[in-house]
Amino acid sequence: MNSMRRFLVISVLSALMLVNFIAALHGYRSSMLEAESLFDQKLSEMAAQYAVIPLTGSVPPPAPDDQQMVFQIFSQEGRLLWRSAHAPVDLISDEPGFSEHNFNDYRWRTLSYLNKDNGRRVVVAERVDQRYRLAESVILESIVPVVLVLPVAGILIWLIIGHGLNSLGVLAGILRRKNPDDFGAIKVDGAPEELMPVINSVNAMLGRLNASFERERRFSADAAHELRTPISAIKMHLHNVREELPGGSDSLRSLTKDVDRLAHLVEQMLLLHRTTPDHYPAKFEPISLPSLARELIAERYADFAAKDQSIELVGEAVTVDGDRFALGILVQNLLNNASKYTQQQGRIEVRVERRADGVWLTVADNGPGINEVAQLRVFERFYRLGGDRHSSGVSGCGLGLSIVEHIAELHGAKIMMAKGLDDGPGLAVSIIFPLPPSTATSSELGIKVKPINSAKRYSGQGGKQ
């Protein structure tokens, strides 16, 4: 049973019902014995009354009865003096005291009484079934309220246990409202003794988490300094070596490429850590996705031009609530992947649109694409399709989409992957942001960048050039 409250209520009610049942059974038996005693006392009083009742005439007519209680009066000589209408003519019982007999199709409780003063024998009898019916009706009237009160008791127990468990709800609320970077000890005012071990254990765990995250923060800061500095020095020495070797060499070019890859790996690892939702101190503000994409496309123009690729920005001028720095990294990584893995003279499209389920930012290309099996793994850290020997021949570290996933999670967005542009297998990566409270829309954008043309590539109005 998953609910502690439901378990306690059912357990207490079960115990209460068991105790009530045992008590009712004992009460029933005691009450039946008491009722038997009262009914027998009634028969004794009736027999004593008939033993001295004056009788006129030799044989009086049968006395009326209610068919549930009968009597007979016999003389000392054994002659029937008087009887009730439904009593038999023959003597019912000549045994002194109480006994049970069958006649008139019923079982009867009988009392045979002999009056020693006048020699009369009086036999009175009462139907056993009527006795039990009367006794049970009286007893059940006292037991039924106990049974009927069980639902009321259940409701009261439910409320009382709920009140007793309020401290758990308070503790859950405090933990729910805690910021991801808040590892301070929690305190629940008026917490019962039974809850204190839980609170102390949670506080101890928060202390250990705080120490762990502090070590990780210090490691990131140290790594940023200790790794960037020697890489920058190596790059400077490589530049000097290239100057000293006018013709260059294959080894030098390979070394330069590997150092650039190492620098990229360090930067991506640091970005991966910084953009983790639990660590990143996001500052949300309204961000225009088309404007942000336009800026980043302009910054990366040289990369598109180097591969003679065309890029198009289309869609609606919509805004989302987000962190500018994190969203910039997200768009930049998507553009990097699209440019790196799309062939020479390939085509890339960035689309921003508002739909019923959110704001869609899609970066699509007509490159080689990714099969459905690999799409399930591309967000794993350090995973690259084909490994380091990727068919594109470009270097990478397999962290770009992991960073994209972190930033999407930070913004409460979803990620979808689909087939790319129509003129190739391609890949389309869509980030679906939640709809902001009010999304301003404007006319359709249509920004096309063809690097092989003149340097005037963007209009201030966002129109086509």
Side-chain angles (χ1 to χ4, degrees):
M1 186 174 294
N2 295 329
S3 171
M4 183 187 304
R5 188 179 191 182
R6 196 160 51 243
F7 169 77
L8 290 175
V9 170
I10 293 176
S11 300
V12 173
L13 270 181
S14 301
L16 186 61
M17 290 178 65
L18 179 61
V19 171
N20 279 345
F21 174 76
I22 295 174
L25 183 61
H26 177 73
Y28 177 80
R29 295 181 62 185
S30 300
S31 299
M32 287 299 294
L33 292 175
E34 184 68 22
E36 284 283 337
S37 176
L38 291 175
F39 286 129
D40 287 348
Q41 183 180 352
K42 180 182 177 182
L43 287 179
S44 298
E45 293 174 354
M46 183 178 176
Q49 179 184 358
Y50 283 122
V52 297
I53 189 173
L55 298 175
T56 59
S58 58
V59 182
D65 57 38
D66 57 0
Q67 302 184 30
Q68 299 176 5
M69 185 176 290
V70 298
F71 67 90
Q72 295 174 322
I73 303 175
F74 288 86
S75 66
Q76 189 174 6
E77 294 79 12
R79 182 171 56 88
L80 179 63
L81 299 177
W82 197 31
R83 67 181 177 89
S84 60
H86 292 86
V89 176
D90 298 330
L91 181 64
I92 297 174
S93 174
D94 57 356
E95 300 175 9
F98 291 97
S99 60
E100 292 187 2
H101 294 81
N102 295 326
F103 61 89
N104 293 349
D105 300 327
Y106 288 102
R107 186 76 172 170
W108 299 76
R109 175 77 167 172
T110 62
L111 170 63
S112 180
Y113 173 74
L114 179 62
N115 188 337
K116 296 180 180 180
D117 295 335
N118 56 20
R120 285 185 185 178
R121 179 175 293 280
V122 178
V123 180
V124 291
E126 184 179 20
R127 278 171 48 181
V128 173
D129 62 316
Q130 293 297 327
R131 275 188 160 210
Y132 280 105
R133 185 176 294 112
L134 291 172
E136 287 178 351
S137 64
V138 174
I139 296 170
L140 289 177
E141 286 181 0
S142 61
I143 294 178
V144 167
V146 177
V147 176
L148 293 179
V149 83
L150 284 177
V152 178
I155 295 174
L156 291 176
I157 293 172
W158 177 272
L159 296 176
I160 292 171
I161 292 177
H163 179 73
L165 296 177
N166 276 345
S167 297
L168 284 176
V170 173
L171 175 61
I174 293 174
L175 293 175
R176 192 183 307 113
R177 291 189 296 271
K178 259 187 172 297
N179 293 326
D181 57 348
D182 180 10
F183 299 102
I186 60 175
K187 181 180 179 182
V188 180
D189 296 331
E193 295 180 2
E194 293 78 6
L195 191 61
M196 291 307 300
V198 177
I199 295 176
N200 294 335
S201 299
V202 171
N203 286 335
M205 181 187 66
L206 289 174
R208 294 193 297 270
L209 286 175
N210 185 42
S212 175
F213 279 117
E214 282 298 326
R215 288 193 297 270
E216 190 172 350
R217 290 190 188 100
R218 287 195 297 270
F219 169 78
S220 299
D222 294 342
H225 175 73
E226 298 298 332
L227 293 177
R228 284 172 173 168
T229 300
I231 290 175
S232 299
I234 292 174
K235 284 187 173 183
M236 181 181 66
H237 292 310
L238 284 174
H239 175 75
N240 293 336
V241 170
R242 280 195 299 270
E243 293 296 324
E244 294 174 3
L245 300 175
S249 68
D250 293 338
S251 297
L252 184 59
R253 282 191 292 272
S254 298
L255 180 60
T256 302
K257 183 178 179 180
D258 289 340
V259 171
D260 290 339
R261 181 183 177 187
L262 178 60
H264 176 69
L265 174 61
V266 170
E267 292 298 329
Q268 291 291 84
M269 289 180 64
L270 294 176
L271 281 177
L272 182 68
H273 172 76
R274 289 181 60 186
T275 56
T276 302
D278 289 342
H279 299 170
Y280 188 75
K283 296 180 180 179
F284 282 74
E285 58 180 309
I287 304 294
S288 172
L289 285 181
S291 299
L292 181 63
R294 185 187 300 114
E295 295 172 6
L296 294 172
I297 290 172
E299 291 177 5
R300 297 199 54 81
Y301 172 71
D303 296 331
F304 301 124
K307 299 184 70 173
D308 198 18
Q309 296 168 336
S310 66
I311 182 168
E312 182 179 5
L313 172 61
V314 296
E316 303 173 51
V318 295
T319 61
V320 296
D321 292 330
D323 181 88
R324 178 173 291 275
F325 176 75
L327 288 179
I329 295 174
L330 180 144
V331 177
Q332 187 175 26
N333 279 357
L334 293 179
L335 291 174
N336 284 348
N337 280 355
S339 177
K340 285 196 299 184
Y341 300 115
T342 300
Q343 65 280 2
Q344 292 282 338
Q345 298 182 348
R347 194 162 63 88
I348 302 171
E349 178 183 281
V350 181
R351 178 175 291 275
V352 182
E353 54 188 333
R354 182 180 186 273
R355 299 185 185 179
D357 57 346
V359 177
W360 286 57
L361 169 67
T362 303
V363 178
D365 58 59
N366 63 346
I370 301 177
N371 61 59
E372 293 182 0
V373 177
Q375 288 180 12
L376 301 176
R377 297 194 59 192
V378 291
F379 294 100
E380 296 178 10
R381 297 181 181 184
F382 302 107
Y383 175 80
R384 293 192 75 204
L385 185 62
D388 289 337
R389 300 179 181 275
H390 193 272
S391 58
S392 64
V394 297
S395 63
C397 60
L399 291 177
L401 288 179
S402 296
I403 296 172
V404 168
E405 185 179 37
H406 278 185
I407 297 174
E409 182 182 351
L410 179 69
H411 290 79
K414 297 182 294 184
I415 304 176
M416 289 185 61
M417 304 185 77
K419 182 180 179 299
L421 300 177
D422 294 336
D423 53 347
L427 175 67
V429 181
S430 297
I431 313 297
I432 308 167
F433 297 92
L435 284 172
S438 60
T439 305
T441 62
S442 66
S443 59
E444 185 83 3
L445 295 175
I447 304 172
K448 290 189 177 180
V449 181
K450 294 187 179 296
I452 58 175
N453 294 334
S454 62
K456 187 177 181 181
R457 300 172 185 90
Y458 295 93
S459 68
Q461 303 300 323
K464 296 181 181 180
Q465 295 293 321

